[in-house]
Amino acid sequence: MAKIIVEGGHRLEGSVRVSGAKNAVLPILAASLLAAHGTSRIEDVPHLLDVENMMATVAALGARVERDGQAVSVCAENIHSVEPPHELVRRMRASFVVAGPLLARFGEAVIALPGGCNIGPRPVDLHIKGFEAMGATATIEGGRVHFRAPKEGLRGARIYLDIPSVGATQNIMMAACLARGQTIIENAAKEPENVDLANYLNAMGARVRGAGTDTIRIDGVDELHGAVHAVIPDRIEAGTFLIAGALAGTGVYVENAVSQHLMSLIAKLEEAGARMEDDVNGIRVWPSDGGRLKAVDVKTHYYPAYPTDLQAQIVAALATAQGTSLVTETVFENRFMHVAELQRMGADIHIEGRTAIIEGIDRLEGARVTATDLRAGAALVIAGLMAEGETEIHGLHHIDRGYDDLVGKFRALGARIRRVDGENEN
Ligand code: UD1
């Protein structure tokens, strides 16, 4: 069985380059389905299981999808199905965003109710309500949703989201591009990945304004075409390396990290004693002068607040901070499964409701642990870097879903880390 082995106690140095953002690429690949003409070329596409899954989903509908190094081209002129294979959709919650483009362009979409990371109930009611406000009907039968647009197509609507859901904002924004008239999304998600999606849609000929604010206005157009687009850097990957650098580095440079996308993390790491310096190409981070981070309190929330996707990693880092930290998860229920794994390494953490109470200890100890979700896997690598002895991490398929060459990148920074895939080591 594949595993990662980390030998703790070696400092990180040098620089690491962040890949394109997984959470921008996924909806952008789905948005490519909106183009009636031409081929899209998407650049800086990371090599990830989730991305391969989305490429396969779009291809299964009839699109021509080709990868050439870091670029992926998609031609959606000959789509022949509005029902992506259920096993692909069930594997990944983000696949649900093919619903908006299919419904808008073909008037129909049949999508299995989604799966994805095992982090609590993740309903799609806001996506459904949004499409219904645009005139569509949704029938749920046998674990799938069948959306149908009225004969004359979707119509623009004013939609207020009860929660600024990232995926619902994307789905509605994409559907609205081909609807008649104007759609206004209030309380929209402001994540940089949604701004990137809007930029791509506009390059395809759409009229989307206000992405990145609470209110997005979309004026429907008759048709979209393929476009060239370079994806923004992955702020979660960047944040993972910044946390590792603050904990175990000697001035690690995270190339491609965009400080504007990482304000909440930068503020927290500085509060914990780390030093950061940014320039146009990236961010450099140094641990605190005393060596150990200081305890800080962190609360996850929607962008621009501290991201839930960097919660596990900061919990791992704070496990050896000086003092008591409180980390509160407000976005997802049941997203503390990594805590049990960190406890195996000796961490003194207990959970009360939605808060992890972390008593910083001097040193973690290497242990055999399992990645329970995508970000938990990265957290265990971070924990292993500073632990005494060897940490053996299982459950790698989670890490492969969202980190492009995590092991190689940490190794280039001087970490003693290796991956063992059955007989093969790399
Ligand atoms: C996206 C990200 C994921 C990140 C999350 C929150 C992608 C591919 N994934 O997921 O990495 O952790 O944002 O930043 O971009 N909700 C509802 N009803 C809905 C939709 C969502 O109640 O119809 C709730 C969810 O259960 C959750 C919260 O809203 O508690 C946020 O979910 P959402 O923003 O939709 O996350 P995703 O788009 O699934």
Side-chain angles (χ1 to χ4, degrees):
M1 252 228 296
K3 58 188 175 191
I4 289 175
I5 298 170
V6 192
E7 184 187 302
H10 302 279
R11 308 299 297 187
L12 304 177
E13 58 182 358
S15 83
V16 58
R17 188 172 189 279
V18 172
S19 302
K22 167 179 90 77
N23 287 353
V25 170
L26 298 177
I28 282 172
L29 286 170
S32 303
L33 291 169
L34 285 163
H37 299 292
T39 299
S40 287
R41 184 180 158 86
I42 303 152
E43 295 169 354
D44 286 331
V45 178
H47 290 267
L48 303 172
L49 276 185
D50 275 8
V51 169
E52 275 171 31
N53 201 36
M54 185 60 97
M55 285 167 61
T57 302
V58 171
L61 299 170
R64 210 181 61 235
V65 184
E66 279 161 23
R67 193 188 253 281
D68 169 18
Q70 300 294 338
V72 170
S73 59
V74 184
C75 175
E77 285 173 5
N78 299 309
I79 299 299
H80 54 62
S81 166
V82 291
E83 183 165 0
H86 294 188
E87 68 277 8
L88 287 177
V89 177
R90 288 227 173 81
R91 222 178 276 165
M92 184 174 75
R93 176 183 167 79
S95 328
F96 203 71
V97 294
V98 297
L102 290 174
L103 181 62
R105 189 170 154 207
F106 303 104
E108 200 177 357
V110 185
I111 320 277
L113 287 166
C117 271
N118 181 21
I119 46 177
R122 296 174 78 174
V124 285
D125 54 314
L126 298 172
H127 303 238
I128 295 175
K129 274 193 211 162
F131 294 148
E132 284 175 342
M134 300 171 86
T137 57
T139 353
I140 299 181
E141 65 217 14
R144 53 194 201 146
V145 198
H146 197 146
F147 294 106
R148 290 184 185 87
K151 263 200 190 63
E152 61 286 4
L154 296 175
R155 56 172 181 270
R158 200 181 185 105
I159 297 163
Y160 174 84
L161 295 178
D162 297 332
I163 298 171
S165 155
V166 173
T169 302
Q170 294 168 350
N171 236 339
I172 296 166
M173 185 158 78
M174 291 189 279
C177 288
L178 294 179
R180 281 173 300 117
Q182 190 177 63
T183 298
I184 299 177
I185 311 175
E186 308 265 23
N187 198 28
K190 298 189 283 240
E191 270 69 0
E193 293 75 17
N194 284 11
V195 178
D196 206 38
L197 172 64
N199 287 338
Y200 174 59
L201 290 168
N202 286 338
M204 296 173 81
R207 296 178 59 202
V208 182
R209 303 285 172 267
T213 74
D214 297 308
T215 307
I216 304 178
R217 286 187 169 73
I218 305 115
D219 288 298
V221 297
D222 289 340
E223 205 171 85
L224 296 180
H225 50 77
V228 177
H229 181 79
V231 172
I232 54 167
D234 196 308
R235 67 193 161 98
I236 305 303
E237 187 194 358
T240 300
F241 285 114
L242 288 173
I243 293 171
L247 189 72
T250 51
V252 166
Y253 186 66
V254 184
E255 190 187 333
N256 258 355
V258 180
S259 54
Q260 200 199 332
H261 295 168
L262 287 158
M263 289 302 184
S264 54
L265 173 70
I266 291 171
K268 279 297 154 191
L269 289 179
E270 284 180 342
E271 192 185 329
R275 206 152 52 78
M276 334 267 295
E277 222 173 69
D278 65 321
D279 60 38
V280 287
N281 293 319
I283 306 176
R284 192 177 296 281
V285 58
W286 291 267
S288 84
D289 288 340
R292 263 175 91 180
L293 293 176
K294 289 187 296 241
V296 287
D297 294 342
V298 177
K299 194 183 235 179
T300 68
H301 222 295
Y302 308 108
Y303 188 83
Y306 191 92
T308 175
D309 288 350
L310 286 173
Q311 182 255 102
Q313 299 89 318
I314 199 87
V315 167
L318 293 173
T320 50
Q322 262 174 321
T324 307
S325 305
L326 302 181
V327 175
T328 305
E329 172 60 54
T330 77
V331 179
F332 291 114
E333 288 168 35
N334 193 21
R335 205 180 189 175
F336 278 127
M337 284 177 300
H338 45 283
V339 166
E341 303 303 309
L342 292 169
Q343 283 165 343
R344 286 172 193 271
M345 299 176 71
D348 182 354
I349 307 176
H350 64 275
I351 307 290
E352 266 182 32
R354 292 192 150 202
T355 300
I357 302 162
I358 308 163
E359 305 287 351
I361 57 170
D362 285 349
R363 209 147 213 212
L364 293 173
E365 280 162 28
R368 186 183 192 280
V369 289
T370 303
T372 48
D373 76 46
L374 164 52
R375 307 305 173 183
L380 294 172
V381 171
I382 289 175
L385 292 175
M386 292 298 278
E388 194 154 332
E390 271 191 0
T391 300
E392 198 178 296
I393 305 167
H394 293 255
L396 299 197
H397 58 284
H398 288 297
I399 298 181
D400 295 339
R401 283 189 42 209
Y403 284 93
D404 189 349
D405 194 21
L406 190 74
V407 167
K409 286 181 179 181
F410 268 116
R411 214 149 61 175
L413 288 174
R416 300 279 170 88
I417 180 169
R418 63 188 202 277
R419 182 182 174 121
V420 185
D421 281 310
E423 296 298 297
N424 304 323
E425 288 208 16
N426 55 59

